[in-house]
Amino acid sequence: MEAYWKELALGSGLALVIALGIWGVDITPIAVIAGLAVLLQMMLSGRFAGSRKLEALALDARNPVKSMVTFDDIGGQDMAKRELLEALEFVNNREKCLKLGIRPLKGILLVGPPGTGKTLLAKAAASYTDSAFVATSGSSFVEMYAGVGAQRIRKVFSMGRQAAREQGKGSAIIFIDEIEVIGGKRGRHSSHLEYDQTLNQLLVEMDGINATNDVRVLVVGATNRADLLDPALIRPGRFDRVVRVDLPNKEGRLHILRIHARNKPLEAEVDLGKIAGETFGFSGAHLESLMNEAAIHALRHRRSQIKEEDLREALEKVMLGEKLDRRPLEEERQRIAYHETGHALVSELIRNGSVSSLTVVPRGQALGYMRQTPDGDRYLYSKQQLLDQIAIALGGAIMEELFFGSRSTGSKGDFDQAVEAAHQIIYGGMSSLGVVSKQHILPEEVNKEVQAIIGEEEKRVRELVSSHQTMAKAIAEELLREEKLSGVRFRELLMAS
Ligand code: ATP
């Protein structure tokens, strides 16, 4: 209704101005005043839109029902949970801590990659300490107008205290996600004055936390770029505790999968442990999405329970993206089938049982792919393991060469991976160049060594693939017919031929 009146007023005003123009009245002053009014309106709405966004976010998060996440809802992260719980004793047993002369904790910084559960941990901290919870993000404070960020910081702190009073709680947790946006090193930004003022205000509010006695405030910041933070923010007395929230290990992944399977009917045969083993590098958010996609897949196939097959489909979707409708030309499909068989063959010959599946159905950026079962969570690689990675990456191009007489652009990503692994060998001091300095070594020298390493592996792969040509052909042809082969079927074909 409001919009209707606005439009009516705007239309009538415009008609009046045009009529005045036609009657020969000088409309320049009216046009200037109208222009200025519109500009002012835009600035004000921009300015307040951000503030409304901040308020809506905080109000939303103030809903006590929504913040009823407990530490039991968070999988893995045992270390982070332990450290956080220890820190929260300062909130729960404040008197005891004060008697011992312990300075009250003002801030906890959660550092880790996206989707690992930092927001969940902050919410669980709020329910554990029975605190009001106000969530916001660093970017909500950023505005081009000087002083707005600082004003919003003050507002968030007062919102936290007010929310605690309204909910009859003695403490409030203020969660600031992406804290590096406002907590970056001062003097780095081009509009540095505004950023600096915002950060200064945050520091002032944190310093003043002790003075307010009726509501205890604890600031929980989250970032994945702790290196960008201003040292003043992480000095003792401000963010006293830095808690690392890393990607989960295999046990952690299993725990997270189980948490997200609680409300989903799984078939008795489903082995979540196997899925956990195949999802190295997945965050909690990826695993939640995997379980959700598996349920959607089961629904699409009119099943009342989630099968292993639904989970495998979901895994590939989360890893590589949605299946594409685009169907490559027949001759391209043939090349893709031989290419993927090449990767799989080399992988299996190097490590028995390593192929999980291969397909020629395009998904995300890939026209086809071969997925391996990781051999455990790995954080270190030996030279031989890196050489094996290079060999597997080259398997596709060498197979194309052997069967079609040439390579194709489909191998570009594989070569990038091979070069990356060769760089790891060189900079890890494992090449014939010995230990080298990245800054002082000439690019030509590095390139020569990369070519030598990859050249050697090309020879090895060519020999491997040539001596298994008949079985490679049989596998590629079945892959072409079936579109997808499981690791088990692939190994059956390998044994049979
Ligand atoms: P960002 O840095 O991107 O803000 P974050 O670390 O704060 O991410 P959350 O928002 O806490 O991540 O997690 C997103 C979602 O992923 C959660 O709502 C939850 O469903 C799932 N999730 C993430 N980590 C875990 C975990 N450790 N246990 C259970 N679920 C998790």
Side-chain angles (χ1 to χ4, degrees):
M1 200 61 188
E2 196 190 333
Y4 167 79
W5 287 113
K6 251 190 200 168
E7 270 185 33
L8 191 72
L10 206 67
S12 325
L14 208 62
L16 184 68
V17 172
I18 293 169
L20 286 175
I22 293 169
W23 291 332
V25 178
D26 180 11
I27 55 167
T28 322
I30 302 175
V32 171
I33 292 169
L36 283 173
V38 168
L39 199 68
L40 195 66
Q41 158 74 15
M42 278 168 65
M43 280 171 67
L44 287 177
S45 62
R47 189 171 174 144
F48 292 123
S51 158
R52 273 200 298 274
K53 193 171 79 181
L54 179 78
E55 210 157 322
L57 196 71
L59 279 174
D60 182 41
R62 270 200 285 172
N63 181 348
V65 180
K66 277 199 177 172
S67 49
M68 276 311 285
V69 174
T70 68
F71 284 110
D72 289 339
D73 300 318
I74 304 171
Q77 308 303 357
D78 292 341
M79 190 71 179
K81 276 195 238 175
R82 221 178 5 254
E83 281 199 50
L84 194 56
L85 279 170
E86 200 184 289
L88 292 176
E89 284 311 306
F90 290 91
V91 183
N92 276 357
N93 291 313
R94 194 171 186 235
E95 273 65 45
K96 214 160 111 190
C97 292
L98 287 178
K99 267 191 199 150
L100 278 171
I102 300 171
R103 172 170 43 77
L105 191 75
K106 294 177 183 172
I108 299 174
L109 190 64
L110 306 176
V111 182
T116 42
K118 297 184 289 298
T119 311
L120 286 184
L121 282 165
K123 284 186 179 175
S127 32
Y128 180 75
T129 54
D130 193 27
S131 304
F133 183 70
V134 175
T136 181
S137 133
S139 49
S140 328
F141 296 96
V142 179
E143 206 62 68
M144 56 190 279
Y145 311 103
V148 175
Q151 183 198 328
R152 286 184 191 164
I153 292 274
R154 278 194 295 274
K155 192 155 187 179
V156 163
F157 274 77
S158 78
M159 267 178 189
R161 293 190 176 105
Q162 199 188 330
R165 284 182 203 117
E166 278 169 14
Q167 292 166 23
K169 298 186 170 182
S171 52
I173 287 190
I174 294 176
F175 175 63
I176 308 178
D177 204 359
E178 300 176 352
I179 198 163
E180 74 281 0
V181 177
I182 47 167
K185 292 186 179 111
R186 279 172 288 190
R188 276 171 46 117
H189 293 279
S190 48
S191 59
H192 60 89
L193 211 60
E194 165 57 0
Y195 280 92
D196 293 357
Q197 277 186 13
T198 311
L199 176 56
N200 286 340
Q201 189 58 43
L202 178 63
L203 299 179
V204 167
E205 290 289 342
M206 288 186 78
D207 287 343
I209 280 175
N210 274 339
T212 328
N213 286 327
D214 69 328
V215 176
R216 279 160 274 149
V217 174
L218 178 71
V219 186
V220 179
T223 182
N224 41 32
R225 293 299 310 273
D227 56 311
L228 295 181
L229 294 179
D230 195 290
L233 200 61
I234 36 182
R235 78 144 167 80
R238 274 151 191 171
F239 281 99
D240 286 289
R241 284 282 168 124
V242 178
V243 176
R244 283 218 58 90
V245 189
D246 279 321
L247 288 172
N249 59 15
K250 189 175 165 198
E251 287 75 43
R253 294 196 294 274
L254 179 59
H255 191 181
I256 297 173
L257 285 170
R258 287 203 175 122
I259 287 175
H260 292 287
R262 274 185 205 155
N263 61 349
K264 297 181 180 68
L266 296 189
E267 257 192 11
E269 299 79 60
V270 167
D271 182 0
L272 289 180
K274 249 203 256 166
I275 303 288
E278 291 188 27
T279 42
F280 177 61
F282 272 42
S283 67
H286 283 124
L287 296 165
E288 187 274 335
S289 168
L290 188 156
M291 289 306 299
N292 194 47
E293 289 297 338
I296 293 173
H297 194 263
L299 180 76
R300 238 187 251 159
H301 290 79
R302 298 176 199 287
R303 282 196 270 277
S304 55
Q305 284 193 316
I306 299 173
K307 288 171 91 156
E308 177 110 14
E309 181 195 328
D310 300 315
L311 286 158
R312 302 221 156 264
E313 270 296 317
L315 200 160
E316 290 182 356
K317 183 167 175 192
V318 175
M319 237 179 208
L320 296 146
E322 187 60 281
K323 271 185 191 161
L324 303 180
D325 286 337
R326 184 182 59 190
R327 196 179 155 87
L329 298 173
E330 203 44 44
E331 113 194 26
E332 286 175 331
R333 281 185 77 244
Q334 211 173 15
R335 225 180 226 281
I336 298 164
Y338 278 78
H339 181 107
E340 298 310 328
T341 305
H343 287 311
L345 189 67
V346 180
S347 170
E348 194 68 24
L349 292 174
I350 285 176
R351 181 164 65 86
N352 232 330
S354 62
V355 174
S356 175
S357 70
L358 56 162
T359 176
V360 286
V361 179
R363 211 186 247 283
Q365 300 289 315
L367 289 170
Y369 57 87
M370 184 276 295
R371 202 162 60 73
Q372 287 176 291
T373 313
D375 94 65
D377 289 6
R378 275 203 178 278
Y379 303 97
L380 277 181
Y381 293 94
S382 68
K383 180 175 178 183
Q384 190 53 51
Q385 284 161 336
L386 289 166
L387 290 174
D388 289 346
Q389 280 183 13
I390 297 176
I392 297 165
L394 296 174
I398 304 283
M399 183 87 169
E400 283 187 51
E401 232 176 60
L402 277 177
F403 285 89
F404 302 96
S406 67
R407 297 178 178 182
S408 69
T409 51
S411 305
K412 182 177 172 304
D414 299 333
F415 294 150
D416 289 344
Q417 275 178 22
V419 170
E420 175 54 33
H423 278 165
Q424 289 195 47
I425 293 178
I426 295 169
Y427 297 122
M430 296 180 278
S431 74
S432 66
L433 295 171
V435 177
V436 293
S437 148
K438 220 172 183 172
Q439 281 89 39
H440 299 112
I441 189 164
L442 293 171
E444 301 83 68
E445 264 183 286
V446 175
N447 205 29
K448 218 166 128 196
E449 188 63 14
V450 167
Q451 282 178 343
I453 294 171
I454 294 184
E456 270 303 303
E457 287 313 300
E458 275 188 39
K459 258 194 254 161
R460 169 158 81 121
V461 174
R462 202 165 281 119
E463 274 164 29
L464 272 180
V465 179
S466 317
S467 56
H468 293 82
Q469 272 198 53
T470 326
M471 67 175 71
K473 187 170 186 322
I475 297 170
E477 290 301 322
E478 172 148 343
L479 175 59
L480 205 52
R481 276 194 305 279
E482 300 295 325
E483 294 204 324
K484 185 167 181 171
L485 294 181
S486 68
V488 176
R489 178 69 189 140
F490 171 77
R491 278 180 282 282
E492 275 172 15
L493 290 168
L494 202 59
M495 299 289 180
S497 28

